[in-house]
C-alpha cells in the first residue's frame, strides 16, 4: 500500500529551457525547483563552458547571469553532454547561428542516436552542421553562418526538433515558422514568452520573428509529470493506496498519461490548479482503482511518449487486453522501449507482443523473474513498479542510470511504502 505526500523532482524539459533561455537573456534569472539530474547539469555546464556565469545549483535554485542573445563565446573544447539527447538537440539549434564553431559530443549511448532530424532543418536554414557516420554525434557546427528563417513542416512529431528550429530562428533573418500536425510539448514556446520574447501561436503553427531580446525572469519549475507517472501507476495498481503529489506540471501537451490512465479506470484528481509562470500545475491525488485494458487512442500517444513504459505496467495489471499503436517514437529512445518492455513483461509471465510502433498485451498476474532494462532508466523504473505487484522477487538488470535521471527514486518509493533493494 502506498500512502503519503511525495515531492517530485522538477520537470526536466522545463529545466533545460530555463537554463538555455536564462543564459541568453539580458539580466539575472532565478530558477527554482530545477531538476538536478545528469541531463540538465550537462546543459548547465555547456552554458558555463560558453562563458555564462551560473551560481548553484543549490537545492534546486540557480542564479543565471544572462549574457544576452549575442553574448555567448566559443567553448575551449567540445561540449560534452553525457547521454542527454535533449541537451544536444536544443543546443544544436541555439548554437547554429552563433559567430563561432561548436562541437557537441556525448557518451556511448548518445553517440548511437541519430541527430539527422535536427540537422536537416538547421541545414535548410543555412547552418553548417556536420555529423559523424550514420548521422550520429559528434555534431559539429561551423558557426559564422547567416541563417534564414524557414517554413518547417514537422514530418514526425518532436518537441526537441521544433525547439531547435525555434532557437535557431532567434538568430535567423526573417520569420521562422514551425507547423506540427500532432501537438508536441510546447515548453519552449511558453518559456520564450516568460522571457518576454513575442511569438505568434495559432493551432498547429508557431511563428517567431528575430530582432527582439529576452529579458531575465523568475522561473519556478513545476514537478515532473513524467516522474509522477511511475507513482500514479504504482498507487493505481496497489490496493488501499492514496498518494498526493503536490505542484506537478499539467501542461496539456504532457497530460496524455493522466488521460490514458483515467480511460483505464484510474482515480486521479488534479486539485488546486494554478500557474507557475506560463505553465499550469496542480496537486495530483491518486487512489488505487481496478484498471481495465483499453485500446490506447493514438492521438494521446505523443502526449505520453515518455510514459509508455509506466503505462504498460498499468496495462499488465489491468483486466483484459491493451493495445498500443502509433508509438514508433518510443522505439528510438535510450532503448527500443516497446521491445524491452515486451521482453521484460513476457519474462514476468505476461502475454505480450511488440511490433513496429505497436504493442499488444493481456493483463494478468505478474510472476517473479529477471528482466533487463538495458540501461534505460524509464524502463528500469517501470519494472520497479511492476515488481511491487509480482508474486515473488523481480531482479532488474541495467538499472545503473536510474538515480542520475530521477535522483532519490528509491528514496521516494520507500517513503511511500515501496521497497527497492539496490545490488552492486
Ligand atoms: C523532450 C521531448 C521529447 C521527450 C524527451 C524530452 C523535450 O522527445 O521524449 O524526453 O524536452 O523537448 P522528442 O522531441 O524526441 O519527441
Amino acid at each position: 500500500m502506498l500512502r503519503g505526500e511525495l515531492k517530485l523532482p522538477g520537470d526536466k524539459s522545463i529545466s533545460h529551457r530555463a537554463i538555455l533561455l536564462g543564459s541568453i537573456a539580458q539580466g539575472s534569472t532565478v530558477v527554482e525547483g530545477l531538476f538536478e539530474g545528469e541531463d540538465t547539469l550537462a546543459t548547465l555546464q555547456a552554458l558555463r563552458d560558453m562563458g555564462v556565469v551560473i551560481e548553484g545549483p543549490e537545492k534546486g535554485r540557480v542564479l543565471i547571469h544572462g549574457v544576452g542573445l549575442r553574448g555567448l563565446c566559443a567553448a575551449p573544447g567540445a561540449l560534452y553532454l553525457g547521454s542527454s539527447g535533449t541537451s544536444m538537440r536544443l543546443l544544436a539549434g541555439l548554437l547554429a547561428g552563433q559567430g563561432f564553431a561548436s562541437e557537441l559530443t556525448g557518451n556511448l549511448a548518445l553517440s548511437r542516436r541519430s541527430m539527422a532530424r535536427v540537422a536537416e532543418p538547421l541545414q535548410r536554414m543555412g547552418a553548417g552542421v556536420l555529423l559523424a557516420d550514420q548521422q550520429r554525434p559528434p555534431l559539429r557546427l561551423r558557426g559564422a553562418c547567416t541563417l534564414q528563417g524557414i517554413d518547417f513542416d514537422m514530418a514526425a512529431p518532436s518537441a526537441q526538433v521544433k525547439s531547435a528550429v525555434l532557437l535557431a530562428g532567434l538568430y535567423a533573418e526573417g520569420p521562422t515558422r514551425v507547423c506540427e500536425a500532432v501537438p508536441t510539448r510546447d515548453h519552449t514556446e511558453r518559456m520564450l514568452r516568460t522571457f518576454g520574447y513575442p511569438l505568434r501561436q495559432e493551432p498547429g503553427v508557431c511563428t517567431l520573428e528575430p530582432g527582439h531580446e529576452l529579458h531575465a525572469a523568475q522561473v519556478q519549475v513545476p514537478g515532473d509529470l513524467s516522474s509522477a507517472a511511475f507513482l500514479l501507476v504504482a498507487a493505481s495498481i496497489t490496493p488501499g493506496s492514496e498518494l498526493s503529489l503536490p505542484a506537478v506540471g499539467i501542461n496539456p501537451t504532457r497530460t496524455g498519461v493522466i488521460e490514458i490512465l483515467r480511460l483505464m479506470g484510474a482515480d486521479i484528481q488534479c486539485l488546486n490548479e494554478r500557474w507557475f509562470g506560463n505553465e499550469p500545475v496542480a496537486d495530483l491525488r491518486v487512489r488505487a482503482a481496478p484498471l481495465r485494458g483499453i485500446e490506447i487512442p493514438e492521438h494521446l500517444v505523443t502526449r505520453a511518449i515518455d510514459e509508455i513504459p509506466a503505462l504498460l505496467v498499468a496495462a499488465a495489471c489491468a483486466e483484459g487486453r491493451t493495445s498500443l499503436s502509433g508509438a514508433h517514437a518510443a522505439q528510438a529512445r535510450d532503448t527500443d522501449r516497446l521491445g524491452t518492455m515486451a521482453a521484460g513483461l513476457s519474462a514476468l509471465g505476461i502475454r505480450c507482443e511488440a511490433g513496429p510502433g505497436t504493442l499488444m498485451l493481456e493483463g494478468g498476474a505478474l510472476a517473479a523473474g529477471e528482466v533487463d532494462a538495458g540501461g534505460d532508466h524509464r524502463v528500469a523504473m517501470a519494472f520497479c513498479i511492476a515488481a511491487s505487484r509480482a508474486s515473488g522477487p523481480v531482479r532488474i538488470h541495467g538499472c545503473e542510470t536510474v538515480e542520475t535521471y530521477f535522483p532519490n527514486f528509491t528514496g521516494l518509493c520507500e517513503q511511500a511504502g515501496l521497497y527497492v533493494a539496490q545490488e552492486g
Side-chain angles (χ1 to χ4, degrees):
M1 190 158 70
L2 284 84
R3 294 225 153 222
E5 181 176 293
L6 300 178
K7 190 174 171 337
L8 291 162
D11 187 278
K12 189 158 74 157
S13 292
I14 298 175
S15 296
H16 280 296
R17 284 136 174 104
I19 297 166
L20 290 170
L21 298 191
S23 296
I24 54 164
Q26 289 181 331
S28 298
T29 286
V30 177
V31 184
E32 302 206 70
L34 187 87
F35 171 72
E36 286 184 58
E38 209 174 76
D39 284 17
T40 44
L41 294 179
T43 294
L44 198 132
Q45 185 56 44
L47 272 310
R48 279 186 175 141
D49 289 350
M50 290 184 286
V52 182
V53 174
I54 303 177
E55 297 177 52
E58 213 190 307
K59 294 196 182 117
R61 185 177 193 276
V62 283
L63 177 60
I64 305 170
H65 298 283
V67 294
L69 265 178
R70 296 277 166 194
L72 296 175
C73 32
L79 298 167
Y80 176 72
L81 303 167
S83 54
S84 180
T86 309
S87 306
M88 187 166 285
R89 296 195 179 94
L90 268 53
L91 278 166
L94 180 70
L95 301 182
Q98 302 291 336
F100 52 84
S102 308
E103 180 177 352
L104 311 181
T105 66
N107 67 8
L108 207 62
L110 183 56
S111 303
R112 284 197 207 107
R113 294 175 71 173
S114 168
M115 292 293 140
R117 280 184 314 155
V118 79
E120 190 269 325
L122 295 177
Q123 284 162 340
R124 267 184 56 209
M125 294 177 84
V129 187
L130 202 75
L131 287 165
D133 258 6
Q134 297 170 31
Q135 313 277 28
R136 292 174 178 164
L139 186 154
R140 295 192 176 87
L141 295 160
R142 199 171 65 230
C145 302
T146 306
L147 303 189
Q148 292 295 330
I150 54 168
D151 265 354
F152 179 52
D153 267 313
M154 233 182 357
S158 167
Q160 296 180 358
V161 174
K162 171 178 68 174
S163 301
V165 171
L166 290 175
L167 292 172
L170 293 171
Y171 297 90
E173 284 176 2
T176 294
R177 211 159 66 100
V178 182
C179 302
E180 46 181 6
V182 180
T184 61
R185 61 190 71 191
D186 63 356
H187 303 303
T188 301
E189 297 90 310
R190 288 173 192 255
M191 192 64 77
L192 280 164
R193 284 197 274 115
T194 297
F195 282 88
Y197 203 96
L199 282 176
R200 205 164 58 246
Q201 281 178 281
E202 293 136 292
V205 189
C206 175
T207 312
L208 175 147
E209 306 245 7
H212 304 276
E213 289 294 335
L214 287 91
H215 300 283
Q218 298 265 343
V219 181
Q220 175 76 48
V221 180
D224 198 329
L225 182 54
S226 297
S227 302
F230 298 101
L231 297 159
L232 293 177
V233 171
S236 295
I237 62 176
T238 310
S241 297
E242 177 167 344
L243 281 182
S244 295
L245 308 170
V248 177
I250 53 161
N251 179 317
T253 59
R254 295 279 297 279
T255 46
V257 62
I258 296 179
E259 288 169 53
I260 293 167
L261 285 171
R262 281 181 178 154
L263 289 173
M264 298 175 84
D267 178 0
I268 301 170
Q269 285 179 285
C270 295
L271 306 170
N272 191 18
E273 291 188 25
R274 57 202 186 275
W275 293 88
F276 280 8
N278 287 317
E279 292 283 353
V281 299
D283 302 330
L284 303 187
R285 190 170 66 199
V286 52
R287 295 194 182 104
L291 301 184
R292 54 185 174 272
I294 57 163
E295 206 171 293
I296 298 177
E298 258 192 65
H299 74 275
L300 293 177
V301 170
T302 301
R303 291 167 50 211
I305 199 66
D306 288 343
E307 292 73 63
I308 300 290
L311 284 166
L312 293 176
V313 171
C317 297
E319 199 182 319
R321 173 178 299 194
T322 291
S323 56
L324 168 71
S325 55
H328 301 86
Q331 300 188 281
R333 304 283 142 168
D334 303 43
T335 60
D336 160 7
R337 287 186 175 154
L338 303 187
T340 14
M341 286 304 297
L345 288 171
S346 302
L348 302 182
I350 298 293
R351 277 184 48 208
C352 190
E353 215 174 288
T358 66
L359 191 143
M360 203 277 295
L361 72 72
E362 221 42 80
L366 285 157
E370 297 210 13
V371 300
D372 190 355
D376 185 327
H377 57 293
R378 292 198 202 276
V379 172
M381 291 187 278
F383 280 118
C384 289
I385 302 305
S388 72
R389 303 303 300 146
S391 57
V394 173
R395 175 170 278 142
I396 309 160
H397 299 278
C399 280
E400 52 288 341
T401 50
V402 168
E403 289 287 323
T404 50
Y405 285 96
F406 187 158
N408 198 31
F409 172 69
T410 50
L412 268 187
C413 286
E414 199 168 313
Q415 204 183 319
L418 183 74
Y419 295 92
V420 183
Q422 293 181 72
E423 296 175 11

